[in-house]
Amino acid sequence: VLLRDQIAQEASALYGFVESISSACTPPPRSVAFTDASERLFQYIAALSTKTKQYLKDYPVELEGSEEQFIESRRELSTIRIAWREIHQFIKPAVHADTLNQPTALIAAMLQRLKQLPGFEASDFAIFHTDTFDYLQVNPVFVNQAAAGLAAIVGAEGISKPILIGIPSSQGTKLFLNCLVAHEMGHYVFGQRHLRPLLIAEIESALRQTLGNKYAGQGLQDRSFHFGLLAKWAEELFCDLFATYLIGPSYSFAYVELFDVAKVSARQALHWPQLWILSIICILRTHSA
Amino acid sequence: VKEQAELLKRLDWWRHVQMIQSRSVAILGVLVTIPNEEFLKIETTERRPLLEAFLQIIPEISSQLGKITSGLDVGAHQFGNLWPVMEQYFDNGIVPSTINVDVGNGIIEQAHPSAVTIINAAFRYYLEKLDNLMLRIKNQDIQSIETRSYWINKVQSWAAKALEDVSLIEKINLW
């Protein structure tokens, strides 16, 4: 049996794979209530699933073209599978984030402020639960990129989708720590406003200045590593500052509490001049008392 | 975190923040006094130039943030005006979504705090005023971790309810 004869088999397997993933939210579960954004997410996944299955049903299985065409065809099936694997991670966590298990009012309030910014009037976020306690590590852009790639292949670009935002599953209804969700909205804004390309020149120039000849003489891999690191720091700082602007000092208070900044500051103070150690210790003692 | 504190200063939040008696605020207050050079000193030789480069691009990040958020009300002014009344509402266990403000000469005006005011008032109350609430309620031990935790959750749920109410009022006003 030639490998190219296996295309029908592979497309069928992929069809079943997509069907099993999307079945968790087609039709959306009705035993609990969901926000409009979550409902739209489920509808989006259902529509994406329908389009994918239709695309696979019509997939050309008897290839008569060149070897390159066959390889390209295999690559496309692989891309579809990878995208659905990516989407799979978010379906059950999104189904678990019903209105009783997410800070609906807080998210709506933050979203309402975001929508006041030019270009963000139509923004919408669906919440999903994360198993880990990593508020600031859940970047919604990755799954959106996977979904966008898939949509381009199966012809579903026109279907609008809400942006996904992750919160730790145990903190569903808490108000204070969930102020950190504003940081994730910052990632969305950073991506939508294409800020990374805008910062490229600044980052390059700063690295040249501080690393000097070392930067100029670096290989592509090292330069790319340093550039990537700074770009990441820049994005994270933007998200922190955006969140601070969006909801005020509550963001900083939540941040200080969750990341135990007092402890970190005290440890770093060991390296600072005596003056700083004294000032921190005095103030912390006063307030602890 | 230092940059967050710097931003709070630029946005006029600081005069409200610095009055809060809390360790979190003390940390923010100390961080803004530390010159950036001190952060550079504690880095390894390898990482120091990277942090230095990072510090150089912060003004551009701030500039981009300014462009994106220009026109969006910061919310500090309303917070400053309404906090004293909001505090009383929390003291009495009342959801502060529609509040009566004494504007002088015996005139009482009704106000609906913004979401930013509600969130920050609730957080401030949690950070420094929880004892006030607990002392007004019979048999509450302010040293009991379990009891404090219960009332912290209560303050959060009142704030969440206030956010829902305000959102509903805004929707109705649009109809």
Side-chain angles (χ1 to χ4, degrees), chain A residues 5 10 68 106 132 151 163 170 228 236 250 278:
Chain A
D5 296 333
E10 288 187 27
E68 284 75 28
L106 178 66
T132 50
I163 304 300
S170 60
E236 293 302 327
S250 289
L278 283 174

Side-chain angles (χ1 to χ4, degrees), chain A:
Chain A
V1 178
L2 290 172
L3 274 177
R4 61 172 60 209
D5 296 333
Q6 294 291 302
I7 288 288
Q9 172 68 19
E10 288 187 27
S12 307
L14 187 52
Y15 186 98
F17 179 70
V18 173
E19 197 164 52
S20 62
I21 292 175
S22 63
S23 63
C25 53
T26 48
R30 288 286 163 208
S31 55
V32 284
F34 290 94
T35 60
D36 290 347
S38 291
E39 293 276 9
R40 274 195 292 281
L41 174 71
F42 300 141
Q43 286 161 10
Y44 173 72
I45 292 170
L48 204 54
S49 159
T50 305
K51 283 277 186 187
T52 308
K53 287 189 289 183
Q54 189 59 50
Y55 185 77
L56 292 173
K57 265 198 269 186
D58 301 337
Y59 206 75
V61 290
E62 288 176 17
L63 297 178
E64 290 170 0
S66 64
E67 199 62 20
E68 284 75 28
Q69 281 172 316
F70 166 71
I71 290 168
E72 185 53 40
S73 187
R74 279 284 296 104
R75 194 175 291 140
E76 201 169 78
L77 291 179
S78 171
T79 305
I80 293 172
R81 187 179 282 275
I82 289 168
W84 274 101
R85 269 168 45 187
E86 195 72 34
I87 292 167
H88 163 261
Q89 300 173 61
F90 297 94
I91 293 179
K92 205 164 182 185
V95 169
H96 285 167
D98 56 72
T99 48
L100 294 177
N101 289 297
Q102 62 165 280
T104 314
L106 178 66
I107 301 289
M110 289 196 266
L111 184 59
Q112 199 262 339
R113 268 179 77 70
L114 177 67
K115 284 181 170 183
Q116 290 174 37
L117 301 176
F120 292 94
E121 298 86 351
S123 304
D124 211 354
F125 295 95
I127 297 294
F128 69 93
H129 281 174
T130 60
D131 291 335
T132 50
F133 216 110
D134 49 3
Y135 266 108
L136 308 188
Q137 303 298 322
V138 187
N139 190 332
V141 174
F142 299 129
V143 68
N144 292 327
Q145 283 170 349
L150 175 65
I153 292 175
V154 301
E157 297 104 317
I159 308 170
S160 69
K161 64 177 184 302
I163 304 300
L164 278 161
I165 285 222
I167 61 168
S169 55
S170 60
Q171 302 301 305
T173 55
K174 301 290 183 199
L175 189 90
F176 295 148
L177 278 187
N178 278 320
C179 287
L180 295 172
V181 168
H183 176 99
E184 293 190 53
M185 291 185 176
H187 280 296
Y188 171 65
V189 171
F190 192 89
Q192 289 295 108
R193 281 298 171 92
H194 309 291
L195 292 187
R196 191 179 161 117
L198 285 177
L199 290 172
I200 286 176
E202 292 286 333
I203 295 173
E204 283 281 352
S205 156
L207 283 172
R208 277 179 206 285
Q209 208 174 320
T210 60
L211 286 170
N213 290 338
K214 193 181 164 197
Y215 186 68
Q218 272 178 346
L220 195 60
Q221 201 172 341
D222 284 342
R223 281 171 72 154
S224 164
F225 172 75
H226 286 140
F227 178 87
L229 189 65
L230 233 64
K232 180 72 186 153
W233 287 353
E235 179 168 353
E236 293 302 327
L237 179 65
F238 173 84
C239 295
D240 282 339
L241 297 183
F242 178 81
T244 308
Y245 198 105
L246 196 68
I247 59 163
S250 289
Y251 176 77
S252 303
F253 298 152
Y255 194 104
V256 168
E257 185 170 303
L258 182 66
F259 296 103
D260 204 356
V261 174
K263 193 176 156 193
V264 175
S265 303
R267 195 170 60 234
Q268 289 189 337
L270 294 173
H271 304 277
W272 286 333
Q274 210 62 15
L275 178 66
W276 304 116
I277 301 174
L278 283 174
S279 65
I280 286 182
I281 291 173
C282 288
I283 289 175
L284 296 185
R285 276 192 184 154
T286 308
H287 286 277
S288 297

Side-chain angles (χ1 to χ4, degrees), chain B:
Chain B
V1 180
K2 183 192 170 186
E3 289 302 320
Q4 291 174 38
E6 297 275 11
L7 181 63
L8 290 172
K9 275 193 161 181
R10 292 200 296 275
L11 298 180
D12 206 25
W13 269 111
W14 196 251
R15 62 197 173 100
H16 307 297
V17 169
Q18 66 183 357
M19 290 158 68
I20 302 173
Q21 295 296 308
S22 159
R23 221 165 73 117
S24 303
V25 174
I27 290 161
L28 295 177
V30 169
L31 286 174
V32 286
T33 64
I34 298 171
N36 284 343
E37 293 72 39
E38 297 300 328
F39 291 94
L40 291 172
K41 280 181 194 166
I42 62 167
E43 288 293 347
T44 58
T45 321
E46 288 258 305
R47 274 172 60 103
R48 196 169 299 142
L50 291 173
L51 181 61
E52 213 177 334
F54 180 57
L55 292 172
Q56 281 184 24
I57 60 170
I58 289 176
E60 181 58 26
I61 297 169
S62 297
S63 160
Q64 293 297 338
L65 177 77
K67 284 180 198 163
I68 289 170
T69 54
S70 74
L72 181 67
D73 178 29
V74 170
H77 182 69
Q78 193 201 57
F79 173 84
N81 286 340
L82 298 185
W83 160 251
V85 187
M86 303 276 288
E87 181 187 355
Q88 289 170 23
Y89 275 64
F90 282 120
D91 277 349
N92 290 292
I94 303 170
V95 172
S97 45
T98 301
I99 59 175
N100 294 320
V101 184
D102 185 348
V103 291
N105 297 327
I107 301 167
I108 303 290
E109 277 184 11
Q110 214 172 60
H112 301 298
S114 70
V116 171
T117 299
I118 293 168
I119 295 164
N120 287 286
F123 222 125
R124 177 171 181 178
Y125 196 85
Y126 151 66
L127 288 176
E128 66 167 359
K129 303 286 182 184
L130 201 65
D131 290 3
N132 294 4
L133 170 67
M134 293 176 71
L135 288 169
R136 295 170 75 97
I137 299 161
K138 206 174 153 188
N139 298 332
Q140 301 303 300
D141 175 8
I142 60 168
Q143 298 300 332
S144 160
I145 306 299
E146 196 181 3
T147 313
R148 285 190 84 84
S149 175
Y150 173 82
W151 289 109
I152 289 168
N153 284 337
K154 276 286 166 206
V155 171
Q156 292 189 82
S157 61
W158 294 335
K161 179 70 173 73
L163 290 173
E164 269 176 28
D165 291 350
V166 169
S167 161
L168 185 64
I169 291 163
E170 281 169 4
K171 254 184 211 166
I172 291 168
N173 287 341
L174 286 176
W175 288 345

